[in-house]
Amino acid sequence: MKNRLKDMRADHGWSQAVLADKLDVSRQTIISIENGKYDPSLPLAFKIARVFGQPIEAIFDDEGD
């Protein structure tokens, strides 16, 4: 699944570690999501959306899979 997580994180000036801390996940989880190697669970996707104040659809795109 494609996502804009890396760009959105950079726009906020957050490191992977900072975002991981905000989401209560490991930095490796953030790396895997950003690289498209891991699709977050629905609860985690909602949590990510809340942290960025965006709808899930603004962050994740399942088109092309």
Side-chain angles (χ1 to χ4, degrees):
M1 177 181 318
K2 294 181 184 179
N3 68 75
R4 297 184 50 236
L5 192 59
K6 186 174 184 175
D7 292 336
M8 294 178 78
R9 177 179 58 76
D11 289 346
H12 282 77
W14 297 339
S15 67
Q16 291 170 332
V18 167
L19 180 57
D21 188 53
K22 290 179 180 293
L23 297 171
D24 198 28
V25 298
S26 70
R27 183 174 157 269
Q28 287 74 24
T29 298
I30 300 301
I31 292 167
S32 294
I33 294 171
E34 287 184 353
N35 291 330
K37 296 183 186 285
Y38 173 72
D39 292 337
S41 65
L42 193 53
L44 180 54
F46 274 107
K47 200 171 184 180
I48 292 167
R50 278 194 302 273
V51 164
F52 287 107
Q54 297 286 327
I56 290 175
E57 297 86 3
I59 303 168
F60 299 98
D61 181 11
D62 66 351
E63 300 282 325
D65 277 354

